[in-house]
Each structure stands twice: as structure tokens, then as C-alpha cells.
Amino acid sequence: MKKKLVSVLTVGALTASVLAGCSGGEEEKTSGGKEVLKIWSFTDELKEPIKKFEEQNDVKVELTIVPIADYPTKLKPALESGVGAPDIFTGEIAFLKQWVDAGYWANLSEKPFNASEVKDDYIPYVYDMGKDKDGNVRALSWQTTPGGVYYKRSIAKKVLGTDDPKEIGAMMNSMDGVFEIAEKMKGKGYKMFPDEGSIRWFAQGNEPQAWVNDKQELVVTEDKKNYMDYAKELRTKQYTALAPEWSPSWFAGMDKPVKVKENGKETETEIFSYVLPTWGLHSVLKENAKKSAGDWAVTSGPSPYFWGGTWLGVYKDSKKQKLAYDFVKMMTQDEEFLTEWAKETGDVLAYKPVTDKIKTDFKDEFLGGQNNYEFFLDQADKITPGIVTKYDQQLDTLYGASVMEYVQGKKSKDEALAEFYKKVKNAYPDVKVPE
């Protein structure tokens, strides 16, 4: 899961490699007599699989890594012109739905790919994410990225009398339950979460709906509106450490007490839990909570959610589509490779023929020996397919800003919602907002 820390936190550290040759409309080139396959991505996670593919197929694979912030703008001109275009390129959740409908990826539902035949082998929401508006498969992913609530066992025992993930999950199966625990944590001098944004993943509730429906209407459910009040309550009742996500204090709180200024006084407090997905364990917690390794566990929150993911597909004008899809198949359907990959990286796979065989064999010492693999697969199966739209990244950002204005007392709830609707209309004139 190294990829997620790269794509979210350190994108500026990566630079794109400049490669010679093209894939669309130009003469094919070889490297040392070997056929060359070109891949573009925003993360380095494909480096090891590429080595495996090169060995198995006696080919040369050239990987171009472009920082996530620049990735769409650099890749789009190449895909449209064919000049310098890759044979394979990856897509990230933030812009995936735009790209599956853009026509840049080949239709994998058609021959000779026939990806529709393996539909039942995948976690439903993962497979659904790679389909275009007409139901054709354009991209596939090898991973699923459901989330949970990671918490410190020692604090749970002191405050709640147990550190058992199932018991803690039962206590947090509703927002009311979460706040009951938060009050108990406060009473013992702890903070429930690092910040108010921690609960945004539960804003969809148990009946999630897309931000924009088929009628091009903005959908703000009661659960999403209630999220504003829950976030406000977290701030008002001082249940968080006021440590914004990805800030130094957010990271620091994973392994040591953090300073919090409340009621005019500065005190030190420990943070009980962090809301993170699968990759958060390996790329975030393990990297920043080395002293507390073994004192963690993961459990479910009020509703299932997912965060992130990487999909890959074949460029529609590639002259090497068969070879390109061979790589995609290895990455998403090769049982031997995926079994080895899962055991080496801890990546939670979306391909059921493999997960059904290996899921009982996992335990993570960082989590006190817990089998987080089975837990996350169970959460993944509960995620509703079809709720992600091309509008999500922008609307999530706009809504989050409006929520924080309400949390900070800058606007009333109605004023914050009205401002959100106004910004949505400005950003997307085609979307109908509430009057």
C-alpha cells in the first residue's frame, strides 16, 4: 500500500520519467531486441509486478510515474493525440469515473478481452467502478480499499473494559454509539478522533446515494445533513484533538500525546482512534506508530465505506493490446501472482478466487495478531455499488468546506447549505440544486 502514501502525501517527491517512443500511430520500437510495453501511472506500486511480467514474457516494460497532481493534465494530451501514449495507464478514484466514460481505455467487455465473464469473481463495487455509463468494462483493479476504525487496545481496555474488535464495533454501530464512546473517552482524558473530518466517511449512512442522480439532480440526503451536526457536536463537546488530517499533529498523535488548547489552557492528550482504509494500516499507521505497534486493532464504524484504489486498463489505440491485457490479467486475475502479492504486501485483493483461499491465513502483529484481512473483505462486500460519480471529488471538497464553516461558527447550518448549493451551481451549471 505504499502507493497511497505516495499519491496522497508525497506526490511532489515523484518526477515523471521521460521515455522515448510512442504507442499510437507510430513505428514500434524495441529495447535490446525485446518488445516494449509502456505504462503510465501516478504511483510506484507497479514496479515489482513489472519485474515479474518481464521475466515471464521476455519483454521490456517502461514505467512512467507522474505526480498525481499533474497526472490527468499530462496524460490527456498523449491519449488524445496518440503521441507518446502508453499501452496501459492507471486511474485513481478521484478521476476514475470521468476516464471510464472518456473513451481512452479499450472496451474490455469485448473480444478478445471478455472481462465481463469474470464479473462474479470480483468484489461488486470494485468491478462496478471500472464500468462506463453503458455498462462496458474499461478498467479493472486487483485491490479493494474498504475502511474501518483503528483504535488503541490499551485505551479501549481502560475506558470501555474490552479491546475486542467485535465488541468495540458493536458499540460503534451507530453515530449515537460513537458519541457515547466519545463522552467516555473525554471523561478519562482522551480524545475520540484527531479531527471532525474523521467521521466524514460515515456521512453516507447505511443507505448511500450518489451525489448526482440520473436526473442530474444534486442529492443531499438526511444522513449528509446530519453529518454537519455530528461534526459540530464533535467540536463543541471537545471530542477531538483539533489535529487536521495529514498535519504534523495528526501523524504525531498516532504514537504519543499531543498538545491541545482548550478553554484557554494547553494540555496533553492521547487520541483513541483513526478512521482509515486498508492502505492506512501499512502506509500510515505502521510508518508513524512504531512505538505503539501491537497496541492497535481495527473494527467497523456506523456504516461501511471505501477510500481510494487504483484501476488499470488498455489504451484504445495501443498496437500491443494483447500484451497489454496480459499484464492487466496478471495484475488482476493471476492466482499465483496475486497470492504471492497479497502475502508480501498485505494488499487486500478484490479477486475472490484468491481471497477465498487465503483470507483465513492472515494475522497482523501490529494489530495484536488480528486477522484484518477477513474483516476488510467482509466490509467490502457491504459497500453499495453504483454510488460514485464524476462529480464526487469536487462536491466532497465543496461540502467539506461548508461543513467546516458551520463547525467553526462562521455560518448557520442553513447558510452553510445555501453556500454549498451556490458553489455547486457555479461549478456544474448542468446540475439541479435544491431551491
Side-chain angles (χ1 to χ4, degrees):
M1 316 291 188
K2 179 181 179 181
K3 59 163 193 310
K4 289 302 164 194
L5 194 61
V6 168
S7 64
V8 176
L9 303 178
T10 60
V11 293
L14 293 176
T15 57
S17 59
V18 180
L19 301 174
C22 312
S23 323
E26 292 195 4
E27 183 181 354
E28 295 182 10
K29 294 181 175 63
T30 60
S31 176
K34 295 183 179 181
E35 193 169 10
V36 177
L37 190 69
K38 300 180 186 299
I39 301 177
W40 277 34
S41 187
F42 50 86
T43 145
D44 64 355
E45 64 195 316
L46 297 180
K47 283 185 175 180
E48 291 305 314
I50 282 173
K51 292 179 183 177
K52 184 86 170 181
F53 187 76
E54 288 178 328
E55 293 171 1
Q56 291 179 344
N57 295 274
D58 194 29
V59 297
K60 173 65 177 176
V61 179
E62 294 181 345
L63 174 65
T64 298
I65 300 174
V66 182
I68 188 69
D70 301 325
Y71 188 68
T73 55
K74 288 187 179 294
L75 182 56
K76 185 177 179 180
L79 298 177
E80 291 186 341
S81 67
V83 179
D87 301 291
I88 297 170
F89 61 97
T90 61
E92 203 264 352
I93 185 66
F95 49 82
L96 180 67
K97 274 303 179 183
Q98 293 179 359
W99 287 50
V100 295
D101 287 328
Y104 299 133
W105 272 313
N107 185 352
L108 301 183
S109 292
E110 296 179 342
K111 293 181 179 180
F113 313 114
N114 301 317
S116 296
E117 296 178 1
V118 295
K119 174 184 177 181
D120 293 339
D121 290 333
Y122 286 92
I123 298 290
Y125 92 85
V126 176
Y127 185 85
D128 180 82
M129 287 289 297
K131 295 192 300 185
D132 64 22
K133 61 181 181 297
D134 297 318
N136 297 310
V137 179
R138 298 284 177 170
L140 294 168
S141 181
W142 65 94
Q143 62 191 181
T144 180
T145 56
V149 181
Y150 295 86
Y151 63 91
K152 290 183 178 177
R153 290 177 179 269
S154 57
I155 297 177
K157 284 182 178 179
K158 290 177 185 176
V159 180
L160 306 175
T162 179
D163 69 343
D164 181 79
K166 289 185 178 179
E167 292 184 38
I168 302 296
M171 296 178 191
M172 288 199 288
N173 66 0
S174 68
M175 289 305 299
D176 287 342
V178 168
F179 277 83
E180 286 178 14
I181 293 178
E183 181 63 28
K184 291 178 181 179
M185 290 294 159
K186 180 181 178 181
K188 296 293 186 179
Y190 300 107
K191 297 298 182 183
M192 183 71 183
F193 300 118
D195 69 336
E196 294 83 12
S198 298
I199 63 168
R200 71 186 185 279
W201 300 107
F202 307 126
Q204 284 274 18
N206 287 309
E207 296 183 4
Q209 296 184 46
W211 264 121
V212 178
N213 64 22
D214 294 338
K215 297 178 181 179
Q216 288 296 99
E217 297 170 332
L218 181 71
V219 179
V220 184
T221 63
E222 284 304 308
D223 283 318
K224 286 178 180 174
K225 291 178 181 178
N226 291 340
Y227 161 58
M228 300 182 74
D229 295 316
Y230 287 130
K232 180 81 166 181
E233 187 176 355
L234 283 174
R235 175 67 66 93
T236 303
K237 293 187 175 179
Q238 301 179 336
Y239 289 154
T240 77
L242 303 178
E245 197 168 77
W246 311 125
S247 69
S249 56
W250 185 82
F251 286 110
M254 296 174 184
D255 223 17
K256 61 183 180 182
V258 293
K259 292 182 179 179
V260 180
K261 191 172 184 179
E262 294 175 341
N263 306 320
K265 297 180 180 179
E266 188 174 82
T267 59
E268 281 195 340
T269 184
E270 288 185 67
I271 299 171
F272 172 58
S273 66
Y274 283 75
V275 182
L276 289 166
T278 51
W279 50 265
L281 171 63
H282 305 283
S283 296
V284 180
L285 285 175
K286 286 184 178 180
E287 294 296 318
N288 296 280
K290 297 184 185 298
K291 293 180 180 178
S292 55
D295 189 34
W296 291 84
V298 63
T299 192
S300 53
S303 56
Y305 73 95
F306 75 98
W307 179 0
T310 304
W311 281 254
L312 69 166
V314 177
Y315 177 45
K316 67 179 180 64
D317 291 329
S318 169
K319 292 184 177 180
K320 304 171 185 176
Q321 289 194 359
K322 182 184 182 303
L323 182 64
Y325 191 60
D326 284 344
F327 180 82
V328 174
K329 282 185 69 175
M330 185 198 80
M331 199 69 214
T332 62
Q333 300 166 45
D334 186 307
E335 293 192 24
E336 181 180 350
F337 166 76
L338 288 173
T339 298
E340 182 180 320
W341 175 263
K343 291 181 177 178
E344 286 184 358
T345 66
D347 219 351
V348 182
L349 302 176
Y351 193 58
K352 292 183 177 181
V354 175
T355 59
D356 286 346
K357 294 178 182 178
I358 67 175
K359 62 185 179 182
T360 60
D361 296 333
F362 281 80
K363 67 176 181 177
D364 199 303
E365 294 308 316
F366 184 90
L367 299 175
Q370 181 183 0
N371 185 338
N372 59 300
Y373 213 88
E374 283 190 311
F375 165 77
F376 280 123
L377 288 171
D378 178 65
Q379 292 295 297
D381 279 331
K382 297 176 182 177
I383 294 169
T384 304
I387 61 171
V388 177
T389 74
K390 64 182 180 181
Y391 305 98
D392 290 5
Q393 183 183 30
Q394 181 73 354
L395 294 186
D396 285 342
T397 300
L398 294 177
Y399 192 59
S402 292
V403 171
M404 286 310 298
E405 289 204 313
Y406 174 54
V407 168
Q408 295 168 357
K410 296 178 181 179
K411 283 184 170 67
S412 68
K413 184 178 180 180
D414 288 341
E415 289 171 340
L417 280 170
E419 181 69 12
F420 172 62
Y421 297 151
K422 180 180 177 181
K423 290 179 179 178
V424 172
K425 194 62 181 177
N426 288 337
Y428 301 106
D430 60 320
V431 175
K432 302 171 186 175
V433 303
E435 295 295 332

